[in-house]
Amino acid sequence: MTILQLETVGKKFHDATKHSPLSVMLDPNYVDSSTQPTAFKSYPHFYRRFPLDQNNPLHKLIYLTSAITFEKKYKYESYHLRVNPSAGALYPTEIYVQIRGVKGIIDGIYHLEVATNSLTLIYELIDDGLESYILPNSLVKGFIFLVSCAYYRSSWKYKNRSLRYCFLDSGHHIGAIEAAAYVYQKGIQVLFDFDKISLNNDLGFENKEFITAGVVFGEIKSKTVRKLRSQIPFVSPTDYFEANLFIEAGYRNTISTNPKTDPILNPEIASVNPLFNCQSQDFSEAILTRRSARCFKSKSITQTEWQQIWHFLQQPLPTASKEKIEIYFIINFVEDTESGLYRENQLIKRGDFRERAKYLCVNQALARDSAITLFLTSTYTNYQTAMQYAGWIGQRLYLISNYLGIGCSGIGAYHDDVTQEFLGTNNDILYAMAIGR
Ligand SMILES: Cc1cc2nc3c(=O)[nH]c(=O)nc-3n(C[C@H](O)[C@H](O)[C@H](O)COP(=O)(O)O)c2cc1C
């Protein structure tokens, strides 16, 4: 596929999942919650499991990427909330990690079993491994995380629009891995363009789960590693499944079939941690206590707080992919700062747009009562990658806001065309977010 074809096809899938005032009215997404597919994947009992030891820093790092941090109980059901947020708390993403050459851990591919805080060894390495799919002619002494989506968990409720949520949730999970690595001072590199189809096949995913990104950290050596010598058996990530051919096509058609010859950043950049300037113990606390704000008090944050948050968002994403996200935002309540619409921190329209923000976000009061409501936009080359960038930046926004004691929420539901018109941009709107008191 040429770059132009990739852009056009990505846009088609985006356009086909737009919300408008009419579409939201006609399809309000009501579902019977008792039919929700399970949000936890578990390999059969005969695979070896290794509980994550909180006193071992490498185990703790893996734990911090996906841990359950809160249980919300209702009369008939309970939800397990995690370090990563998820549209509708449906958690379509799964994490696999290849570990090689790390003392005390068997070289292998593990599934992170979030429900039990353990690693399930699903494949032992010999001279083979994930490198041959994601980073040909290299051997990674260290860790290769894979983020996947068990899409039915999300399409069960959000139907075709869940294509967006799978990619955004995946981006959030990348951000969660980045944050965990930051606490332990590990620089990461994120890969989006690789042979995902062969990898899905060899991991035994059938059509029910798909890899969206790889995150590498460790030492990268030049060496040929074989593809997996045998396919991993299929294990269903949900207790039941209904295919959604739109999502499957949306995934397949937005994979770049032109992987870059050099998917890795140059080594100097690769080894540098993002310049977050956060105190590691407090940042670790922010990871574990991160939550979505459910309402805001229409109160101001300070200009200094906002500049700290903005600075944090500006830190380069450690990836060789070249998508660009342009951030628009509506300032409602920031001390000593004019209310209005901004593009990349430049005021473009003065005024009080609180009610407008609420309307754009499908009447969600969060967008009106926030200090700032943000819109992450792009004219992308690769839609799948750009959406993950948006989720990744979204995770950074959650963490820095919560670190500073400010609330944050992702907003996946907004009226696409009306928002574009209000912002005065041809960029597609990939994600909205709100922060405030
Ligand atoms: C991609 C995405 C879209 C979301 N969209 C909305 C939204 O439109 N409105 C809302 O109130 N919360 C939204 N959320 C927040 C989720 O509801 C929240 O993450 C989930 O309930 C889990 O709670 P927690 O984030 O506190 O752990 C979104 C989260 C994500 C990651």
Side-chain angles (χ1 to χ4, degrees):
M1 217 185 302
T2 64
I3 287 181
L4 186 63
Q5 283 167 327
L6 193 65
E7 267 171 40
T8 321
V9 80
K11 188 154 179 52
K12 273 194 188 147
F13 281 97
H14 184 81
D15 288 352
T17 58
K18 283 182 174 176
H19 272 338
S20 68
L22 184 65
S23 75
V24 171
M25 213 161 59
L26 293 178
D27 186 5
N29 268 335
Y30 294 134
V31 280
D32 172 358
S33 65
S34 67
T35 66
Q36 183 181 348
T38 172
F40 293 104
K41 181 171 182 176
S42 182
Y43 277 79
H45 65 92
F46 52 79
Y47 284 93
R48 292 170 69 187
R49 279 171 173 72
F50 300 87
L52 289 171
D53 172 4
Q54 301 282 330
N55 297 318
N56 175 326
L58 287 174
H59 285 219
K60 186 75 189 280
L61 187 165
I62 296 170
Y63 166 82
L64 281 184
T65 66
S66 309
I68 295 171
T69 48
F70 192 70
E71 191 179 349
K72 232 180 187 175
K73 285 196 172 130
Y74 296 100
K75 196 169 174 194
Y76 298 110
E77 61 224 359
S78 62
Y79 286 91
H80 293 92
L81 305 185
R82 312 186 190 184
V83 293
N84 51 311
S86 168
L90 299 173
Y91 304 104
T93 50
E94 291 286 334
I95 296 293
Y96 298 82
V97 55
Q98 173 178 296
I99 305 176
R100 192 197 287 284
V102 176
K103 207 170 152 221
I105 305 182
I106 298 169
D107 286 357
I109 302 173
Y110 298 81
H111 169 247
L112 176 51
E113 194 171 90
V114 176
T116 61
N117 270 328
S118 51
L119 288 176
T120 307
L121 178 60
I122 57 171
Y123 189 91
E124 277 195 55
L125 303 177
I126 304 181
D127 58 344
D128 48 357
L130 297 177
E131 291 90 335
S132 48
Y133 306 83
I134 83 164
L135 209 52
N137 306 317
S138 317
L139 178 141
V140 177
K141 186 165 174 274
F143 296 77
I144 301 177
F145 283 84
L146 294 176
V147 183
S148 77
C149 284
Y151 78 77
Y152 181 54
R153 290 181 194 152
S154 182
S155 65
W156 163 75
K157 177 168 185 183
Y158 294 119
K159 314 277 181 338
N160 291 356
R161 192 161 167 111
S162 70
L163 181 66
R164 298 181 179 207
Y165 299 152
C166 283
F167 295 153
L168 289 172
D169 274 15
S170 170
H172 274 285
H173 225 142
I174 293 168
I177 297 170
E178 173 183 63
Y182 175 74
V183 170
Y184 290 95
Q185 291 162 13
K186 308 274 183 211
I188 59 160
Q189 306 207 43
V190 181
L191 295 110
F192 296 99
D193 293 338
F194 53 86
D195 189 0
K196 292 175 176 171
I197 297 292
S198 305
L199 189 52
N200 292 331
N201 185 52
D202 288 356
L203 292 171
F205 285 171
E206 296 191 345
N207 59 332
K208 297 174 183 63
E209 193 175 340
F210 48 70
I211 296 293
T212 42
V215 182
V216 175
F217 68 85
E219 228 178 287
I220 300 170
K221 294 180 178 169
S222 177
K223 190 172 175 186
T224 307
V225 173
R226 269 206 302 152
K227 291 208 161 184
L228 301 191
R229 57 196 187 279
S230 60
Q231 199 188 40
I232 297 177
F234 167 71
V235 170
S236 182
T238 49
D239 43 357
Y240 79 108
F241 173 79
E242 288 175 277
N244 178 319
L245 299 182
F246 175 89
I247 306 279
E248 291 181 20
Y251 168 71
R252 256 194 335 269
N253 283 288
T254 55
I255 294 175
S256 168
T257 48
N258 258 337
K260 289 177 196 59
T261 43
D262 184 11
I264 216 86
L265 289 166
N266 75 50
E268 292 114 89
I269 300 175
S271 58
V272 173
N273 239 333
L275 298 169
F276 285 165
N277 274 334
C278 292
Q279 208 276 331
S280 141
Q281 186 57 37
D282 293 347
F283 195 70
S284 169
E285 201 52 36
I287 293 175
L288 289 168
T289 53
R290 182 215 60 78
R291 281 281 76 80
S292 294
R294 299 294 75 193
C295 65
F296 292 116
K297 287 183 180 161
S298 300
K299 283 201 172 151
S300 293
I301 63 170
T302 66
Q303 200 180 68
T304 312
E305 284 168 332
W306 169 234
Q307 288 315 324
Q308 258 177 291
I309 292 172
W310 182 252
H311 175 76
F312 191 93
L313 297 186
Q314 298 309 301
Q315 295 308 310
L317 301 174
T319 173
S321 288
K322 299 257 180 309
E323 298 301 332
K324 285 217 162 26
I325 302 292
E326 195 171 27
I327 304 182
Y328 288 74
F329 52 88
I330 296 173
I331 291 212
N332 295 326
F333 299 104
V334 179
E335 279 173 11
D336 306 320
T337 309
E338 247 182 305
S339 296
L341 174 65
Y342 289 70
R343 182 180 54 225
E344 294 285 324
N345 231 1
Q346 299 295 322
L347 180 64
I348 53 174
K349 226 190 278 182
R350 276 189 184 83
D352 175 352
F353 298 121
R354 283 177 295 165
E355 288 303 331
R356 193 74 196 158
K358 176 177 173 237
Y359 172 70
L360 297 178
C361 295
V362 192
N363 278 323
Q364 299 190 69
L366 275 174
R368 178 194 60 200
D369 303 334
S370 64
I372 304 178
T373 296
L374 302 92
F375 297 94
L376 279 57
T377 77
S378 178
T379 47
Y380 38 83
T381 304
N382 185 318
Y383 181 62
Q384 188 175 128
T385 304
M387 286 297 275
Q388 292 186 83
Y389 270 44
W392 183 359
I393 294 169
Q395 187 70 8
R396 286 184 171 188
L397 181 61
Y398 263 102
L399 289 173
I400 185 63
S401 303
N402 285 194
Y403 176 82
L404 296 172
I406 293 166
C408 176
S409 179
I411 299 182
Y414 48 84
H415 299 310
D416 287 87
D417 289 344
V418 199
T419 304
Q420 254 179 318
E421 209 175 294
F422 173 72
L423 302 182
T425 180
N426 290 326
N427 295 356
D428 281 338
I429 317 298
L430 306 188
Y431 196 16
M433 302 200 70
I435 60 170
R437 297 278 177 219

